[in-house]
Amino acid sequence: MNKLFFEESREQSEIKSIIVSKYFYAWANVVKRTAKARGDNIAYIDLFAGPGRFKDGAKSTPILVLEKTIEDNDLSQMLVTIFNDLDSEHTQSLKKEIESLKGIEKLRHKPIIENHEVGEKIVKFFEKLTLVPTFFFVDPWGYKGLSLRLINSVLKDWGCDCIFFFNYNRVNMGLGNLNVKEHIDALFGEERADQLREKIEDLNPVDRELTIVEVICDALVEMGGTFTLPFTFRRADGKRTSHHLIFVSKHVRGYEIMKEIMAKESSYHTQGVPSFQYNPARRTEGLLFELSRPLDDLGDMLLEEFKGQTLSMIDIYNMHHIGRPFIKKNYKNVLSKLEGKGKILVKPSADKRRKNTFRDTAEVTFLE
């Protein structure tokens, strides 16, 4: 089954690889400064790495990550990469692709390629280590091997972020299948999984999906992953979800960076607000959490929440955007509109600013 996944070479898989590789490079450029000052390396770990390319020749995530590393003088000397896959055919293929990369000899640390089953042994190994800053990518075909303990075993240390593949279809079916109870319990935590099974029993498909993804994100937050962000992948007809890519970080800066990346890779935007989904059919349906609120609502929310207050634009953004779909430019756009309607006062005012600009430092007063 896993081989078929890589043979299909869907555009979905390429979007996923783009999101992961873009975040890797942004993350690396943030953490490398501190790591370099400490004399530390940084690391990228992919436990379900797959082959180096999809069947049609498209590059998989490990190749994209290594290409970015080769191009960067600091990263080429600092990054430790570990690629694991239980399938030896995958790792042999990946090894050949890596060896053929132009400039691969520039890397100070030769990529490590392993063949291990992801389970209790790997979790215990990571739990005992104090890791250097690590970007952790977990992309199993289903859910076997994916657990809260596995994610936390890496996320626990400074500078460590994680993004993982959440196969909604298989998890949804697995919740009602006692034969895979052990794997589902490991994914959610046993008590939480039992509560979830009861909670979703009579829910319609949309509410069921919302609940399942909300529960896994809540579990990650309780574990210490303060900031979570899901990106939805829809099937070709746009009617059903195939899977989610879920990002988790302990730092708001990582959340902000990933939010901008996922926004750019979204299939469509409504009034400039990103959908946070890849949808081949481009259907405008509801998303997770508050990710379906249109830009029209943002102005009303800001007027209500900040009534009578004076804050900078960047403070408004920082205080309001967590858990919502809006990106920085959405806030600037809606504040400009509110200014034009006379509902807020801005310093400097519109006539003293360049056209269509709104500074991060602009002072905004919300009228009573």
Side-chain angles (χ1 to χ4, degrees):
M1 185 71 82
N2 201 22
K3 288 187 178 66
L4 291 176
F5 174 75
F6 286 98
E7 287 175 2
E8 286 175 12
S9 184
R10 295 173 299 216
E11 190 177 351
Q12 286 187 357
S13 301
E14 293 182 30
I15 296 296
K16 177 180 64 178
S17 293
I18 289 169
I19 290 172
V20 174
S21 61
K22 279 186 176 180
Y23 183 78
F24 157 75
Y25 193 58
W27 164 85
N29 276 291
V30 171
V31 301
K32 74 179 183 182
R33 301 174 196 135
T34 303
K36 195 173 182 180
R38 293 177 175 180
D40 287 340
N41 293 315
I42 64 175
Y44 175 85
I45 300 175
D46 185 341
L47 294 184
F48 299 86
R53 292 182 182 269
F54 297 98
K55 192 174 182 181
D56 70 348
K59 300 169 185 176
S60 64
T61 311
I63 301 302
L64 293 175
V65 165
L66 288 173
E67 285 182 338
K68 287 182 178 292
T69 303
I70 290 167
E71 293 169 0
D72 187 290
N73 290 334
D74 284 333
L75 292 185
S76 64
Q77 301 304 301
M78 295 177 66
L79 185 71
V80 176
T81 52
I82 300 174
F83 303 110
N84 177 77
D85 200 293
L86 184 60
D87 190 324
S88 60
E89 290 185 22
H90 283 169
T91 52
Q92 287 170 14
S93 172
L94 178 59
K95 185 179 179 181
K96 289 179 181 178
E97 291 294 336
I98 290 174
E99 289 173 347
S100 67
L101 277 174
K102 184 179 179 180
I104 191 65
E105 69 281 355
K106 294 179 183 177
L107 300 186
R108 181 181 179 186
H109 304 283
K110 185 178 179 181
I112 299 167
I113 301 174
E114 303 282 357
N115 290 105
H116 298 297
E117 183 173 13
V118 178
E120 183 74 9
K121 188 175 179 180
I122 283 180
V123 171
K124 287 183 176 179
F125 176 73
F126 285 142
E127 285 177 338
K128 291 176 182 177
L129 292 178
T130 300
L131 297 170
V132 298
T134 298
F135 182 38
F136 192 41
F137 182 37
V138 188
D139 188 13
W141 169 250
Y143 40 71
K144 186 177 180 182
L146 180 61
S147 68
L148 289 177
R149 276 185 64 200
L150 175 64
I151 295 168
N152 191 49
S153 70
V154 172
L155 199 66
K156 70 183 189 307
D157 295 314
W158 179 84
C160 296
D161 286 348
C162 176
I163 189 164
F164 65 94
F165 180 93
F166 186 77
N167 191 322
Y168 174 72
N169 279 339
R170 297 197 68 189
V171 171
N172 184 34
M173 291 187 291
L175 279 162
N177 185 352
L178 291 178
N179 292 326
V180 296
K181 186 177 187 300
E182 178 185 353
H183 299 303
I184 296 296
D185 289 351
L187 178 57
F188 290 95
E190 185 174 1
E191 183 178 348
R192 190 180 288 103
D194 286 339
Q195 292 171 351
L196 180 59
R197 290 181 182 101
E198 291 183 19
K199 194 172 183 179
I200 64 174
E201 194 169 335
D202 297 319
L203 294 181
N204 63 50
V206 173
D207 289 340
R208 187 180 176 101
E209 180 181 351
L210 289 168
T211 300
I212 290 171
V213 178
E214 184 172 9
V215 167
I216 190 63
C217 288
D218 285 348
L220 292 165
V221 171
E222 287 177 23
M223 187 182 71
T226 314
F227 303 97
T228 62
L229 189 62
F231 187 92
T232 305
F233 287 84
R234 308 288 276 181
R235 291 186 177 277
D237 61 6
K239 294 179 180 179
R240 294 177 60 193
T241 294
S242 60
H243 62 279
H244 301 275
L245 204 58
I246 299 181
F247 170 74
V248 55
S249 176
K250 302 189 298 295
H251 201 284
V252 68
R253 181 62 181 140
Y255 177 86
E256 289 172 349
I257 291 170
M258 181 57 89
K259 195 173 192 181
E260 293 289 340
I261 291 170
M262 288 183 171
K264 189 173 182 180
E265 298 306 323
S266 297
S267 290
Y268 62 90
H269 294 65
T270 303
Q271 297 180 311
V273 180
S275 62
F276 290 92
Q277 70 171 236
Y278 173 74
N279 186 342
R282 300 175 66 87
R283 291 164 60 93
T284 53
E285 299 180 14
L287 289 176
L288 307 173
F289 309 108
E290 295 192 49
L291 299 187
S292 60
R293 300 183 68 103
L295 191 59
D296 286 345
D297 290 346
L298 179 56
D300 292 337
M301 285 190 282
L302 296 181
L303 290 172
E304 177 65 26
E305 187 163 337
F306 298 112
K307 185 188 298 183
Q309 298 183 50
T310 298
L311 307 98
S312 68
M313 196 296 300
I314 195 64
D315 285 341
I316 295 166
Y317 167 74
N318 288 336
M319 293 169 67
H320 192 265
H321 81 99
I322 303 297
R324 294 185 171 100
F326 310 112
I327 55 179
K328 188 186 286 187
K329 72 175 183 180
N330 297 147
Y331 286 85
K332 292 186 176 185
N333 288 342
V334 81
L335 288 171
S336 292
K337 290 179 181 178
L338 291 175
E339 181 185 20
K341 293 176 181 178
K343 295 187 176 182
I344 62 172
L345 298 176
V346 181
K347 294 181 181 179
S349 57
D351 60 337
K352 296 180 179 178
R353 302 193 306 264
R354 237 174 43 210
K355 189 176 180 181
N356 298 323
T357 63
F358 205 104
R359 300 175 191 166
D360 286 2
T361 55
E363 186 180 272
V364 180
T365 298
F366 292 86
L367 303 177
E368 293 282 359

